[in-house]
Amino acid sequence: MKKNLFLVAAGLLFFASCSKDMDQYVAHEPDAQDLIKTNVEKIFGNIDPTHDWCNTDYGQVNIQVDASVKKVQVLSRVQELLGDYSYEVTTDGLRLLNSAEPNGRTNFTLYYNVAKENQGIYVAFTTTDGYYVRKVENGSVSFSKSANARALRRESAALTTEYNVTMPAGFESYGSERGYFQDAQGNKITELLYPVESPNAGTSVSFSDDFKTTFESYKLLFPNGRNEDNYPKVIKSGFYNGDYYCEQKDPAKPVVVTPLYKVDSGSKWGSEVYNSELYYYYFKEIPAGVNAEEYLASLPKYKALSFSDCFTNDEEGVLASYGSYILLYYGDGVPAAGETQGQIAFPEGTKIGFLIRANTNHDKGRKKGEVYGDGRLNNGINGDGNYNFSTPRFERDAPRACWMKVEGRMILSWESGTDRDFNDVMVDVDGIKPFNPPYDPYPEYFTFCCEDRQVGDYDLNDVVIRITRDSETKATFSIIACGAHDELYIKNLPCFKNREVHDFFGKTPTTFINTELNAPHYAPYSEEVTVTAEFNVMTDVWPVIENRTQGYDVKLSEPGDDPHAILIAGIMYYPLEMVCITEAFPDFLNWAHDKETYKNWYKNYYNSKVYE
């Protein structure tokens, strides 16, 4: 990918920095060692003589299971750094490193690659009745169903079978002022919201150490952060209220809700969660022949709790609970003010749904409104530009909550704004029939960024290859970019051999692939590859790039040489065409000079200089 370098008679070459003028198709470039050395010194200075240009480790975990376990996943806890000056924002998450089905094995080993800067290795166990996550200690982890029976929290105080709760007289529906819902004829449907407090099932709730540790790992399945998009997980799971309304498990025991956790950056956004309330509604079936949205919109909605009673305003990202609240059944239809009594027993088969009523004056009242777990009821507010909840990031009927199952407990995880991380507030719902939401952690990506010439411009996007480990014996190899106008082949990876790199995208070497802004985007070319159980991306994959235009191979350098290929475990955005890596990533030079420092250099980048 470089423009021909013309050597003047005296053999002098001047570089101010990475060349901006080196990315066009040219004939053979001479292999001049002095030229290479001068170029490297101008760009990088003194490179750490032990540098291997790799942030990746290799490990293994011994796993012991019983017959209840159907699948295991090896996960790493990682910290993502986001934004233009990305070190200002952090978010934690779990990344999938390997997976397997025991198939009768009770003791086996899984191998994995992982970022050196990981914050712990975990194993997730999918069983016949749930999904469980355990942290790996000393290279091993075990799970058995019998040993998993643990007290996750103390029982609430003794509960009676009926609570006499008088509905307030003369209450006007909050929803009638808003008019989000209309029937087919355009008539407003009054949204009946009754702000009667549910009975408190205890002034405080305590949690076992086991629950605290386990809940921490579950939060990482839906990591927090404005750039952490968990919405695809929600939709893929199907476990949101549009399909999964909950039902009471035992009519002799109440349905109890307990807010567990919030992380809403309240001081910045008007204390959205703190100023909100949780409401619920119920029904048996949507009658045949009626519009589902109209029917659900017309149902009475009852207040379960105020989040201001369950958190302090400044609590953020910690388990904190000051009480549990009982959901009551007030009969079918619209309750009569001053007469209706609530009971803890819902008729068998009654479905219960939830909504959050936002009620803060922040942003001149634009943060008021109701958001539902069932996306059908968000059609109005998701598209109303007068309110904070309207955004092109959500479809008009997008849900705002998703079920999770933590150690047998059902937790409803909410998106109260628009950033789609779905963990603004998490609410435990006890006393309902459990179901088993599947989880699909994002895979860890291992990215090779390669330079195609011996005298490089070091935008390191000439060939970009991404690897994911899918299972014990399968991996996916993908070519995602080619910022070269030379004829290139990948010699040592059989799935890509004997085919010019541009040809995988239906193009010739006159086209840059996924390295320019305002240019067509091409889908990656991927191949599923059979690998050994001991597969190691650090030793089994390092690509050798054959540059037929120039007549030589470019491969991984020896320790201390310039970076003709780097391997990054994690999400890495590579530089745009003709943007030197030192310009896109301000910490890269520090890492080049000392490989033990600035190991997270690739998480601090300028958005305008990388291909996202």
Side-chain angles (χ1 to χ4, degrees), residues 53-283:
W53 308 109
C54 174
N55 80 329
T56 305
D57 272 340
Y58 182 66
Q60 63 186 69
V61 55
N62 180 257
I63 300 170
Q64 296 181 347
V65 297
D66 65 10
S68 69
V69 176
K70 304 304 179 185
K71 183 179 180 180
V72 296
Q73 297 171 313
V74 181
L75 310 169
S76 65
R77 178 173 181 170
V78 297
Q79 184 180 70
E80 302 292 349
L81 298 149
L82 307 164
D84 202 9
Y85 286 95
S86 46
Y87 49 80
E88 295 179 354
V89 182
T90 64
T91 182
D92 286 353
L94 291 176
R95 295 291 184 264
L96 177 65
L97 306 179
N98 200 350
S99 65
E101 296 179 1
N103 292 326
R105 294 176 294 177
T106 59
N107 193 325
F108 55 98
T109 299
L110 289 182
Y111 298 83
Y112 59 87
N113 287 106
V114 66
K116 289 179 180 178
E117 297 303 292
N118 76 85
Q119 300 175 11
I121 303 297
Y122 296 77
V123 172
F125 302 87
T126 300
T127 73
T128 52
D129 67 347
Y131 185 90
Y132 303 85
V133 180
R134 298 288 179 267
K135 188 172 183 180
V136 175
E137 302 288 353
N138 300 318
S140 64
V141 67
S142 63
F143 180 92
S144 66
K145 189 173 180 181
S146 59
N148 194 56
R150 59 183 69 192
L152 296 180
R153 73 179 195 191
R154 71 171 177 81
E155 291 295 322
S156 301
L159 302 171
T160 61
T161 58
E162 181 173 300
Y163 293 83
N164 295 321
V165 180
T166 301
M167 302 298 293
F171 172 69
E172 293 185 6
S173 165
Y174 174 79
S176 64
E177 302 172 10
R178 305 182 64 80
Y180 281 130
F181 299 107
Q182 296 180 351
D183 61 22
Q185 289 72 42
N187 301 311
K188 288 184 178 180
I189 300 174
T190 301
E191 190 177 16
L192 302 171
L193 299 176
Y194 293 96
V196 57
E197 294 282 359
S198 294
N200 193 312
T203 57
S204 65
V205 178
S206 61
F207 302 96
S208 69
D209 290 340
D210 280 337
F211 185 86
K212 292 176 182 177
T213 300
T214 303
F215 183 75
E216 182 68 23
S217 64
Y218 272 81
K219 287 192 304 182
L220 301 177
L221 291 167
F222 276 8
N224 175 260
R226 292 191 62 79
N227 289 4
E228 191 72 49
D229 187 358
N230 297 317
Y231 182 57
K233 291 183 185 178
V234 173
I235 298 303
K236 186 174 182 180
S237 76
F239 282 85
Y240 48 89
N241 267 0
D243 297 303
Y244 282 87
Y245 281 87
C246 61
E247 298 182 19
Q248 188 173 30
K249 184 177 181 179
D250 181 351
K253 296 180 179 179
V255 177
V256 179
V257 293
T258 306
L260 297 179
Y261 160 94
K262 77 176 180 73
V263 55
D264 63 338
S265 301
S267 59
K268 184 177 182 180
W269 302 107
S271 304
E272 284 181 334
V273 172
Y274 182 78
N275 286 315
S276 294
E277 300 150 338
L278 183 71
Y279 276 71
Y280 68 101
Y281 58 101
Y282 51 81
F283 63 99

Side-chain angles (χ1 to χ4, degrees), residues 467-477 493-495 527-536 540-541:
I467 314 286
T468 59
R469 181 78 181 262
D470 304 321
S471 67
E472 282 185 284
T473 58
K474 296 292 182 182
T476 297
F477 289 30
L493 301 181
C495 60
E527 290 276 2
E528 187 177 68
V529 177
T530 299
V531 297
T532 65
E534 296 82 12
F535 173 73
N536 182 354
D540 298 338
V541 177

Side-chain angles (χ1 to χ4, degrees), residues 498-566:
N498 301 318
R499 190 173 176 185
E500 203 279 324
V501 172
H502 297 81
D503 187 52
F504 288 109
F505 302 90
K507 298 297 177 181
T508 67
T510 60
T511 303
F512 292 131
I513 307 296
N514 296 339
T515 62
E516 296 180 300
L517 296 178
N518 302 317
H521 177 79
Y522 301 90
Y525 177 83
S526 300
E527 290 276 2
E528 187 177 68
V529 177
T530 299
V531 297
T532 65
E534 296 82 12
F535 173 73
N536 182 354
V537 71
M538 298 166 60
T539 57
D540 298 338
V541 177
W542 282 105
V544 175
I545 307 301
E546 179 188 2
N547 188 326
R548 290 191 182 176
T549 301
Q550 302 303 320
Y552 51 64
D553 294 346
V554 178
K555 57 185 177 181
L556 174 65
S557 306
E558 296 297 322
D561 287 349
D562 55 303
H564 270 81
I566 62 175

